[in-house]
Amino acid sequence: MIRDPNPWTVEAWRLAAALAAGLLLGWVFGGGALGLALALAGYLGWHVYQLWRFHRWVRVGRRSDPPEASGIWRDLIHELYRLHQRNRRRKKKIAKLLNRFHESSAAMPDATVILGSRFEIEWFNGAAVELLQLETPRDIGARITNLLRHPDFVAYVQRGSYAEAVEFSRAPDHQVRLSARIVPYGNRQFLLTVRDVTRIHRLESMRRDFVANVSHELRTPLTVINGYLETLVDDDTLDPAIHTTLKSMEFQAERMRRIIDDLLTLSHLETREDPKAEQTPVPVPALVGGIEEEAHMLVGEKGQTVTVEADPDLWLRGARTELHSAFSNLVTNAIRYTPDGGQITIRWFQDEAGAHFQVEDTGIGIPPQHIPRLTERFYRVESDRSRSRGGTGLGLAIVKHVLQRHGGKLRIESVPDQGSIFTCDFPSTRLLRRPSD
């Protein structure tokens, strides 16, 4: 379709021609005003006819076959036709993208569900039929929480924070473990992906059981070995060279005992059915006081100074033995890696973010590239130096698991050769004030 170079010019000439014809008719028949009125009526009638043709084409006509016109009507039809063609191309492109998305989602081994603004099901792939036991069209439009009713999943949906996935068992067969993740997109739309993690869960359970069983089996023979070594070390009749060897053996046996104890502690934390710690009121100031006494005994002749700054009225809901294990591990590490004469400060305080247990030292510090991996089991910044100081490599892993069970997090700040600050952050929901006597 060829556009007029200037449709308004055509209309101006058309109007001028109509007026000229009206004046001519009025001059011939002796009625100038009547001639102009007839000319304007004819011009208006022609536009009404064009408007009727345009309306009929828009309503019932084929958009691919626009009517012939001229002037402003030709330009208007051309613009509408071009807009229609553009929309058709856009719809075809969107349809292709949707088809590709549906095809790729249908081929995924993980269940994929598209949810609306109220978490109602709009679409799901074949894996969701098998994994989540959904049916079409029965479940289209139903809220996902009405079909997946596990309390952990319902709480995850209602929480509105989807940075991490949630794991839960599938009813009625609770042996099947699922991991779900919600991704918001568009205008209040949500993409739910669910995968079967039963095999991973079983392997992790087997690993935990293996570590626990091996640790228990090693404990008895190691106790016997320690007993004999203690007897031999106390024998003053032995050759000094043999005595030195026995002392080294006793040190390594004691280190192995601590490793086994830490492995059993980790196994105990991991194998509990309830992932959250108990809600018993814990007098943390008294707990910190006991840890301070232990710290003074560990300092011995190293000349280190241990100070405590604790809010005497700030308590916590949790498990006392677990918190003691985590806090004492941090204090022991600070003593172990702080040179003689150094300063160790223990703090227990509250601010607007919650409660915090903090251990600050003037020790050897940690290079920044090692900090993200410090809570991994047996990870060491310098293996030889850590072993010589008697560390097991499991202390910070225990701290991490205890804090997870208490809804807390571990923050680590450190500058090499200047010292480190380890902070346990607890949410305000776990805080208590000391009960009045």
Side-chain angles (χ1 to χ4, degrees), residues 40-56 73:
L40 290 174
Y43 180 76
L44 182 60
W46 181 83
H47 273 289
V48 170
Y49 172 69
Q50 296 297 331
L51 181 61
W52 173 78
R53 292 179 65 209
F54 177 76
H55 180 257
R56 185 179 63 175
W73 290 105

Side-chain angles (χ1 to χ4, degrees), residues 147-376:
L147 303 175
L148 300 179
R149 301 182 180 180
H150 193 282
D152 290 344
F153 178 75
V154 174
Y156 174 72
V157 172
Q158 295 174 347
R159 187 164 64 241
S161 176
Y162 310 122
E164 298 180 357
V166 61
E167 287 193 13
F168 58 96
S169 58
R170 186 185 69 185
D173 183 9
H174 293 285
Q175 297 299 318
V176 178
R177 295 286 298 180
L178 303 177
S179 174
R181 177 77 179 271
I182 292 179
V183 180
Y185 74 98
N187 184 20
R188 291 287 299 169
Q189 298 289 109
F190 302 92
L191 179 66
L192 170 67
T193 58
V194 184
R195 64 176 50 187
D196 188 347
V197 293
T198 305
R199 183 173 178 273
I200 298 175
H201 187 74
R202 288 175 180 171
L203 289 174
E204 185 68 16
S205 178
M206 291 171 61
R207 180 193 63 78
R208 290 195 299 264
D209 292 343
F210 173 77
V211 171
N213 292 334
V214 169
S215 300
H216 276 293
E217 292 298 324
L218 287 175
R219 181 176 253 178
T220 300
L222 187 60
T223 301
V224 175
I225 293 173
N226 270 329
Y228 281 116
L229 286 173
E230 289 175 3
T231 302
L232 292 172
V233 167
D234 293 337
D235 189 350
D236 296 332
T237 62
L238 293 175
D239 185 87
I242 296 176
H243 192 270
T244 301
T245 302
L246 290 173
K247 287 290 290 183
S248 177
M249 292 173 63
E250 184 183 37
F251 174 81
Q252 294 300 332
E254 176 61 21
R255 178 170 168 270
M256 184 177 293
R257 183 193 64 77
R258 289 198 300 270
I259 291 175
I260 291 174
D261 288 343
D262 285 350
L263 282 172
L264 288 172
T265 300
L266 270 175
S267 177
H268 176 70
L269 291 171
E270 292 177 333
T271 53
R272 289 190 174 181
E273 294 182 1
D274 185 3
K276 298 180 181 178
E278 57 186 283
Q279 297 284 333
T280 304
V282 178
V284 178
L287 192 68
V288 172
I291 293 173
E292 181 186 10
E293 294 179 5
E294 297 172 5
H296 284 299
M297 288 187 290
L298 288 173
V299 166
E301 299 178 356
K302 297 183 68 175
Q304 297 169 335
T305 303
V306 179
T307 58
V308 174
E309 303 169 7
D311 184 342
D313 297 323
L314 182 59
W315 286 29
L316 199 67
R317 297 182 188 273
R320 179 166 183 159
T321 55
E322 295 180 12
L323 292 172
H324 181 275
S325 177
F327 295 169
S328 62
N329 265 301
L330 293 178
V331 174
T332 302
N333 280 348
I335 294 171
R336 184 177 293 129
Y337 295 105
T338 298
D340 293 356
Q343 173 74 35
I344 298 161
T345 305
I346 305 171
R347 301 184 182 93
W348 170 242
F349 61 97
Q350 177 184 2
D351 59 20
E352 63 278 358
H356 313 277
F357 176 82
Q358 189 175 85
V359 179
E360 181 177 359
D361 63 59
T362 58
I364 58 178
I366 306 162
Q369 67 270 21
H370 295 287
I371 290 178
R373 300 189 60 189
L374 284 180
T375 56
E376 296 179 11

